[in-house]
Amino acid sequence: MQTVGHFINGNMIVEDNQTQPIYDPSTGEVTKHVSLGGAKTIDEAVAAAKAAFPAWRKTPPMKRARVMFKFKELLEQNADEICRLVGEEHGKISHDAAGELQRGIENVEYACGAPELLKGEHSRNVGTDIDSWSEFHPLGVVAGITPFNFPVMVPLWMFPMAIVCGNTFVLKPSERDPSATLFIAKLLQQAGLPDGVLNVVNGGKPAVDAILHHPDIKAVSFVGSTPIAEYIYTTAAAQGKRCQALGGAKNHAIVMPDADLDNVVTSLLGAAFGSSGERCMALSVAVVVGDETADKMIAALQPAIHELKFGVHSNKNNDFGPVITEAHKSKILGYIKSAADQGASLVIDGSNAAPEGYENGFFVGPTLIDNVTKQMSSYQEEIFGPVLQVMRVQTMEEAIELINDHEYGNGTCIYTRDGESARYFVDNIQVGMVGVNIPLPVPVASQSFGGWKRSLFGDLAMYGPDGVRFFTRRKTITQRWPSAILREEKQFAMPT
Ligand code: NAD
């Protein structure tokens, strides 16, 4: 059976002293193993990245961008293979994997603008014959740690931008579905990236801790669950590293009485159940204003949910696939049971779902729960599964207060036909990414992605303009040439 290794200094390295199984979540079978690197592996990857840095730092941004142009082409040419690898280890249906890849490619396209993005800022004659300008310098060796749910897109949020900014990179992908990530790293080598500029080390906590404590790593970009994000942020910051750590979510949609209910139902299906709800921007709670609206919405949702198809990733007719592991499936079932035990109404229960022929897969069917309240653990915590919960409120203000009180603040949406309500919502909601009749308001690559509250630790969001800032540091130069120096008196006051 194949053991998935690391990619260091342009070479695949398999260490089989410590490994972990990789499952096909559709069948529940072990299909591969993955090497689990530790401090020694991270040392090797950092040494390779450190050695590659001086030459890469000096490579003109246009030449760095050319590598990314070629990389984009290779990602497109190899799309089927990438989606297959994602499907086999994550379980994502190929159309969903293709969407993930496309959003990742958009970040590569944005990174191709490196010469423009790194232009700096210039002020002429800030004093007599004095010019001043800011330059954006790379940090050195930087690292990324990524989650299982987007094994292609989230790494592409990070390393293309870091690399075009002149940094060298050590990536630690999720040990649960590492093959697609490794595959795209090798494509970047094929696109002409010098060895050592991008290195991939697989592993779990020991590899992450080695990154956090390595003196040669200058910055850490993390995406994953909130408890780990907080740990990464506090540990990296204590080590003097720059850090951005994106965490979990509970994304609410407010459904106003004037909303277009057909649109609400259609778009909620994809936003709640797409990718089995394993998206940090999944809409997992519908907060409905007024009982009449809630009753109508539930009546329309029920038949639509019964029609959803879920099953193996290779069947394009399926709407969504399995969840990532047996343990995660049990956790989701626990939340469904706890909601019912705590008094919610289980309208559709997907707990005992098993598509024919895939009885051992990690499947949870689409689940709809009504009359959910604030105190329930299924509401307070992130479920990360195909479960849509409905809460009933009487006013929009009540809905806004509910959302603002939640510990997470990643994404949210309002469904309404009323501009005044939409504007009030946008203005008063304590959430980082906001949609108006848009259920998954994931910012495009030229914006930046980041939540508020405990969905993001750090000052800068991911990719876009914030990505450039995160992966560079500013140097400001103030210059006067000797020929222009006026003979001055000694001056001890602050120069003006
Ligand atoms: P996770 O936190 O379990 O793992 C993320 C990364 O951290 C992995 O590389 C993993 O190996 C590492 N890790 C896990 N446990 C660790 C520990 N104890 N110490 C150090 N490192 C550790 O997350 P996941 O289950 O892979 O991904 C799902 C989570 O990610 C969800 O909470 C989801 O909301 C979140 N997510 C957030 C965003 C966002 O942009 N905010 C995007 C995608 C996913």
Side-chain angles (χ1 to χ4, degrees):
M1 194 174 281
Q2 184 193 346
T3 300
V4 177
H6 317 294
F7 182 67
I8 298 176
N9 211 18
N11 300 307
M12 284 303 300
I13 295 165
V14 177
E15 292 170 330
D16 45 17
N17 48 345
Q18 233 203 323
T19 62
Q20 176 176 310
I22 297 176
Y23 293 87
D24 177 342
S26 300
T27 61
E29 283 166 11
V30 175
T31 53
K32 297 173 195 161
H33 287 86
V34 57
S35 295
L36 297 178
K40 188 172 152 287
T41 334
I42 293 292
D43 277 349
E44 283 171 26
V46 175
K50 196 175 174 186
F53 178 63
W56 188 244
R57 180 178 96 90
K58 285 207 168 287
T59 303
M62 181 58 95
K63 287 196 174 168
R64 295 183 208 143
R66 274 183 203 138
V67 176
M68 287 298 155
F69 274 112
K70 182 75 192 152
F71 181 44
K72 168 192 148 66
E73 278 175 23
L74 290 174
L75 288 169
E76 285 167 350
Q77 284 162 16
N78 289 275
D80 288 347
E81 177 65 0
I82 295 167
C83 294
R84 187 183 64 79
L85 289 168
V86 172
E88 283 176 3
E89 295 180 7
H90 175 285
K92 207 172 272 200
I93 312 297
S94 50
H95 50 70
D96 188 21
E100 153 168 14
L101 174 60
Q102 178 54 32
R103 292 306 293 257
I105 287 174
E106 287 166 16
N107 285 274
V108 179
E109 289 167 341
Y110 186 74
C112 288
E116 177 69 21
L117 299 171
L118 297 172
K119 235 167 32 177
E121 297 155 359
H122 191 96
S123 301
R124 195 182 121 74
N125 238 22
V126 291
T128 307
D129 292 329
I130 299 175
D131 300 327
S132 182
W133 68 94
S134 292
E135 299 174 347
F136 297 106
H137 286 249
L139 305 172
V141 181
V142 297
I145 301 163
T146 52
F148 81 83
N149 65 324
F150 286 110
V152 172
M153 182 183 77
V154 172
L156 290 177
W157 284 358
M158 299 175 181
F159 70 74
M161 178 57 74
I163 285 173
V164 293
C165 288
N167 301 283
T168 55
F169 206 88
V170 176
L171 174 66
K172 208 298 289 169
S174 172
E175 63 278 36
R176 290 184 260 178
D177 51 6
S179 295
T181 320
L182 273 169
F183 184 82
I184 62 170
K186 283 187 276 177
L187 288 184
L188 188 50
Q189 180 189 38
Q190 219 178 303
L193 192 77
D195 291 345
V197 176
L198 173 65
N199 307 275
V200 184
V201 174
N202 286 305
K205 183 169 166 55
V208 170
D209 285 340
I211 288 173
L212 295 176
H213 291 94
H214 202 296
D216 289 332
I217 292 180
K218 304 299 178 202
V220 178
S221 182
F222 172 87
V223 176
S225 58
T226 286
I228 311 298
E230 186 168 29
Y231 168 73
I232 301 282
Y233 184 75
T234 51
T235 311
Q239 299 296 314
K241 298 186 197 312
R242 184 180 290 188
C243 186
Q244 57 180 181
L246 279 65
K250 196 80 178 175
N251 305 311
H252 305 68
I254 298 183
V255 182
M256 296 294 285
D258 68 347
D260 174 343
L261 265 192
D262 291 341
N263 175 45
V264 170
V265 168
T266 314
S267 71
L268 269 184
L269 291 176
F273 304 117
S275 208
S276 313
E278 290 176 325
R279 289 181 182 142
C280 66
M281 290 292 276
L283 266 185
S284 51
V285 185
V287 188
V288 188
V289 178
D291 284 322
E292 199 187 326
T293 317
D295 291 342
K296 275 195 216 157
M297 187 191 79
I298 297 228
L301 268 173
Q302 270 178 282
I305 291 177
H306 283 301
E307 277 179 19
L308 292 178
K309 296 188 190 71
F310 55 98
V312 64
H313 64 89
S314 51
N315 182 350
K316 284 188 181 154
N317 293 325
N318 285 326
D319 297 308
F320 64 90
V323 300
I324 187 71
T325 55
E326 184 67 47
H328 189 50
K329 174 179 169 172
S330 303
K331 196 172 157 196
I332 297 168
L333 300 193
Y335 282 122
I336 298 173
K337 184 174 178 313
S338 79
D341 290 349
Q342 290 172 0
S345 325
L346 208 42
V347 183
I348 299 177
D349 182 3
S351 299
N352 296 311
E356 213 184 312
Y358 294 92
E359 288 76 9
N360 295 326
F362 312 140
F363 288 98
V364 180
T367 297
L368 180 64
I369 310 177
D370 192 8
N371 295 309
V372 171
T373 60
K374 213 173 159 175
Q375 293 71 30
M376 296 177 183
S377 49
S378 65
Y379 174 68
Q380 285 165 0
E381 293 158 31
E382 183 182 39
I383 300 180
F384 222 53
V387 180
L388 176 61
Q389 303 192 90
V390 178
M391 301 177 84
R392 294 168 177 242
V393 295
Q394 296 315 313
T395 62
M396 179 174 71
E397 284 74 14
E398 206 186 321
I400 290 176
E401 197 182 318
L402 183 77
I403 299 171
N404 287 350
D405 276 354
H406 205 284
E407 67 166 315
Y408 295 126
N410 217 38
T412 189
C413 160
I414 188 167
Y415 289 105
T416 182
R417 288 181 164 116
D418 178 41
E420 197 179 346
S421 305
R423 194 166 195 282
Y424 183 86
F425 167 76
V426 168
D427 210 30
N428 290 287
I429 205 74
Q430 301 281 317
V431 173
M433 292 171 282
V434 182
V436 176
N437 299 313
I438 301 281
L440 295 179
V442 177
V444 294
S446 53
Q447 305 283 342
S448 295
F449 180 109
W452 284 16
K453 298 185 276 184
R454 288 173 63 77
S455 292
L456 168 63
F457 300 86
D459 303 315
L460 290 167
M462 190 71 61
Y463 68 75
D466 272 18
V468 182
R469 290 290 172 272
F470 184 79
F471 287 118
T472 57
R473 58 186 164 176
R474 180 185 290 264
K475 183 181 277 184
T476 306
I477 297 102
T478 306
Q479 173 180 280
R480 176 166 67 184
W481 289 104
S483 59
I485 293 176
L486 305 168
R487 295 284 153 234
E488 284 177 349
E489 295 297 314
K490 284 189 190 119
Q491 186 184 324
F492 295 96
M494 186 71 181
T496 56

